[in-house]
Structure formats: C-alpha cells, structure tokens
Amino acid sequence: MDGLSTLPSDAAHDQRLLALSEDLLGWLGPDGLLRPANPAWSASLGWTDEQLRAMAFLDLVAVDDRAAAGAALHAVAGIGAAEFDARARCADGGQRPLRWSAQAGGSDDGVLLAGRDLTELRRLEHDLQEFAYTASHDLAEPLRMVSSYLELLQRRYAGQLDETADEFIGFAVGGAVRMKALIDDLLAYSRVGSREMELGVVDLAVLLDNVVEGLERSIGQAGATVEASGSLARVTGDATLIAQLLQQLVANGVKFRDGGRPALVTVSASEEDGGVRIDVADNGIGIDPAQHERIFKMFSRLHGRDDYEGTGIGLAVGRRITERHGGRLWLDSEPGAGSTFHVWLPGAP
Ligand code: ADP
C-alpha cells in the first residue's frame, strides 16, 4: 500500500491511467445509469460518451442476455461481487461478447464494473476448434490405410516370417489402434465445441440407464456395480452431451478401480444454487489433490498405458461440456479410498 500511496493521485493523472486500460471500466449509479470511466467503452462499442451516459446499463446489454445480466447485478447487492458473460450492443447495430466483473461500490449503492472484450478469445477458440477438427479428420484417412494394410500383413503372413517379424507387426498394429483412439477422442473434443446445443429437459434416471447399458461390457468385465442413489433429478441441457459426460465419469469410476475391492460407482443428484449438482462417486484408487486440476487438461494422464488404457482426453471433453452449459466440473478425492466428481448445471429442474 505504501508504494501505491507515493504515486501522484490527482484527477488528471487518474484519467490518464484509466485511459490506458482496454477493459471497459465504469460504474452504475443506484438509478442503473451507466457512468463510463474510460474511453474503452466508446472505442469498443462505438457509442459517444454522451450516449453512454444516457443509457441504463441493461439497455446496453443485448436483449437475449439481459435477464441473466440483471440477475447477476441483483446478486451483487447480496453477495458483494459477481462475474457474468453478456454481449453488449454496438452503435453500428452489431454486438460484442464481454465478460463483466461487478463489485458493490460501497457507500452510494452503486456497482463498479469492468468489462473485458472476448471477441479475440472467441476467434482464437474457433480457430483452435477448426484446427483440431481438420487435423483429426484428415489424419483419420491415412491412418485407416496404415491400419488395414498392417492387419492384412498380420493375417496373411503370420507364421511365415520369423517370430521377431510377427512381434514387430503386432507392435505396429497396437500403435495404429491407439492412434485411432486418440483421433476419435480428438474429434469428439472438437465436436463438443462446434455442435449446436439442443437444450431440453433431461431425465437423469433415463440417461443413467442408457449409460449403464452402453457400458455393459466393461462393467461386466470389471465385476463393477453402477447404481443410482436416491431419486435422480431432471436437468436442463443437451441430452447427447450430458449423456457423454455421465458416460465418461461412470466409465472412469469403473476403469480406475482398486483391485482390492469390488468396484462400486454411485450416481446421485440434488438441487443446489438454482441448479442441479450431480455426483458420481467411486471407491477406486483415488486422485492426489495436487493433480485435481491437471487431469482436466488435454492428454494428461496420471498412469501409464500398461496400467490403464486411455487417451487422457475424456475429462477435457467433460469440462468442455459443462462449460458450454454454463456449469462446472470438479472433484473431491481421497487417494486410496475413491473419488467423487461433481457436475453443477444451471437451471432449476
Ligand atoms: P483417460 O481415462 O483416457 O486417461 P481422462 O481424461 O478421463 O482420460 O482422465 C485423465 C486421468 O485422470 C486418468 O488417466 C486418471 O489418471 C485420472 N482419473 C480420471 N478419473 C478417475 C477416477 N475416477 N479415479 C481415479 N483416477 C481418475
């Protein structure tokens, strides 16, 4: 603090400082009117300062995002701060995606606001998306060629070359199979981002039945039990994506079992914070708390292929699915005892 207080602090100095920010800084009076504090508002949205000062903040927000922004601002009064995404209307009729941080302004019942333009971030996300799709899609074709000829070689010439040759071909086939799994998962990852979401009411009990049916073989082979605990709620979401998420979490619970006890995966759901929290609990090997964030990254795995098969993409896809729904995915775990993955999805059932 001492360092800060030695800086000059007259109004002109503050103005220049605020003008350096590309973020839209300002505050809302108790009347809801906007008080822009720097030129970033005009620069990014095209309205004049005068026009902005005559606007209620919520009028600046795009119609479709107004209800959510209003609710977030309302929450600021209660909890002191909020963060929300809402598009802003531009003077030229366009819109810009922004992430807003709002904080209760203190004595005058106002709200301090900072808006960060997400246009560039969204563009980069889109490019990355396209890259992942094209790369995985284009790789699939030559790989099909490699795999089919390797398999042909294996079928026709097994036992005719020497033993070492058979072994080499076996390794090559194994490599091609793994590469296919990686490419399929990468495609799944890119599809989650590009898919149009079809929101509807999803019955979790029905979904879990389907998931268990789809995983019947691996559940059977593992001798695992997968069951619902209590009644499962309904959630609002894209049924295909939510099913994919649930399937991933249940499959992981079965896969990362502890050999010392029969695997048990329990799924439950409860209402929380105006949405629904789904818990997928297992009694498996557990995850060291230091790794809890790492496992959601692409390709990150805590185990070698020899211990557990996999590509390390599943949870990255899961996180993406929850983010697309405006929800969250996190976990609690006790290494050696088991893990519980939590999914929170907005929207009352
Ligand atoms: P994959 O299962 O293909 O390895 P995931 O993205 O699904 O990829 O998981 C990443 C890593 O997180 C796994 O390799 C594993 O180390 C750890 N993990 C995920 N789920 C569990 C679980 N239920 N119990 C223990 N470890 C888990």
Side-chain angles (χ1 to χ4, degrees):
M1 277 319 266
D2 277 341
L4 280 179
S5 62
T6 60
L7 290 172
S9 80
D10 55 84
H13 177 271
D14 289 354
Q15 285 288 321
R16 287 179 54 200
L17 194 61
L18 289 168
L20 280 178
S21 170
E22 288 182 10
D23 288 349
L24 285 57
L25 305 173
W27 65 95
L28 305 182
D31 50 8
L33 286 182
L34 185 60
R35 297 281 166 263
N38 67 351
W41 297 82
S42 301
S44 123
L45 305 176
W47 304 101
T48 65
D49 207 46
E50 208 167 38
Q51 285 172 319
L52 287 164
R53 281 173 189 281
M55 266 187 215
F57 173 70
L58 286 178
D59 285 338
L60 187 68
V61 170
V63 179
D64 287 348
D65 294 348
R66 223 165 260 171
L73 286 176
H74 189 72
V76 172
I79 53 178
E83 204 168 88
F84 58 98
D85 287 357
R87 285 159 294 182
R89 297 188 302 114
C90 302
D92 66 4
Q95 295 183 342
R96 277 183 174 271
L98 285 133
R99 174 152 306 152
W100 301 94
S101 302
Q103 221 174 73
S107 54
D108 68 346
D109 279 346
V111 173
L112 302 175
L113 262 187
R116 171 152 298 180
D117 197 326
L118 300 179
T119 307
E120 185 61 12
L121 185 70
R122 290 280 145 80
R123 196 184 61 74
L124 288 172
E125 277 173 0
H126 178 78
D127 284 358
L128 188 65
Q129 185 80 32
E130 217 146 74
F131 173 76
Y133 179 79
T134 312
S136 43
H137 186 261
D138 291 2
L139 281 172
E141 166 56 30
L143 179 64
R144 254 195 302 278
M145 184 82 120
V146 171
S147 308
S148 47
Y149 279 101
L150 278 175
E151 275 160 26
L152 204 62
L153 206 59
Q154 197 174 39
R155 243 183 303 131
R156 290 233 189 122
Y157 293 93
Q160 293 183 40
L161 306 167
D162 61 15
E163 218 171 86
T164 320
D166 285 350
E167 200 185 29
F168 287 175
I169 295 174
F171 289 151
V173 169
V177 167
R178 280 206 309 283
M179 191 155 173
K180 182 172 176 345
L182 271 168
I183 288 178
D184 287 348
D185 282 1
L186 254 180
L187 271 172
Y189 180 80
S190 84
R191 285 206 181 105
V192 169
S194 58
R195 221 182 107 84
E196 273 292 314
M197 292 246 285
E198 285 171 35
L199 292 183
V201 176
V202 180
D203 189 329
L204 285 175
V206 175
L207 221 59
L208 183 62
D209 283 346
N210 292 342
V211 164
V212 169
E213 213 180 294
L215 294 172
E216 207 176 340
R217 245 184 84 195
S218 53
I219 293 174
Q221 278 170 358
T225 307
V226 178
E227 62 187 24
S229 158
S231 65
L232 293 182
R234 289 160 194 272
V235 296
T236 309
D238 180 300
T240 310
L241 292 181
I242 305 281
Q244 199 178 336
L245 171 65
L246 198 58
Q247 162 148 348
Q248 183 65 40
L249 296 179
V250 171
N252 280 355
V254 172
K255 177 160 71 169
F256 296 104
R257 62 188 174 275
D258 183 322
R261 51 184 176 259
L264 173 64
V265 178
T266 315
V267 180
S268 55
S270 54
E271 288 179 37
E272 192 179 286
D273 283 346
V276 174
R277 194 180 94 187
I278 309 166
D279 294 328
V280 180
D282 65 53
N283 62 346
I285 57 174
I287 303 164
D288 181 348
Q291 309 292 346
H292 283 193
E293 263 317 297
R294 211 190 108 202
I295 57 172
F296 293 103
K297 296 218 159 71
M298 279 289 248
F299 306 120
S300 82
R301 318 195 61 223
L302 306 179
H303 308 94
R305 238 188 315 110
D306 293 340
D307 301 326
Y308 301 93
E309 274 294 328
T311 58
I313 297 180
L315 287 177
V317 174
R319 178 121 317 151
R320 208 147 189 221
I321 292 175
T322 48
E323 279 170 0
R324 280 215 74 190
H325 282 83
R328 288 187 297 130
L329 173 61
W330 74 106
L331 72 142
D332 289 311
S333 178
E334 198 181 314
S339 316
T340 303
F341 282 80
H342 312 286
V343 179
W344 181 84
L345 297 171

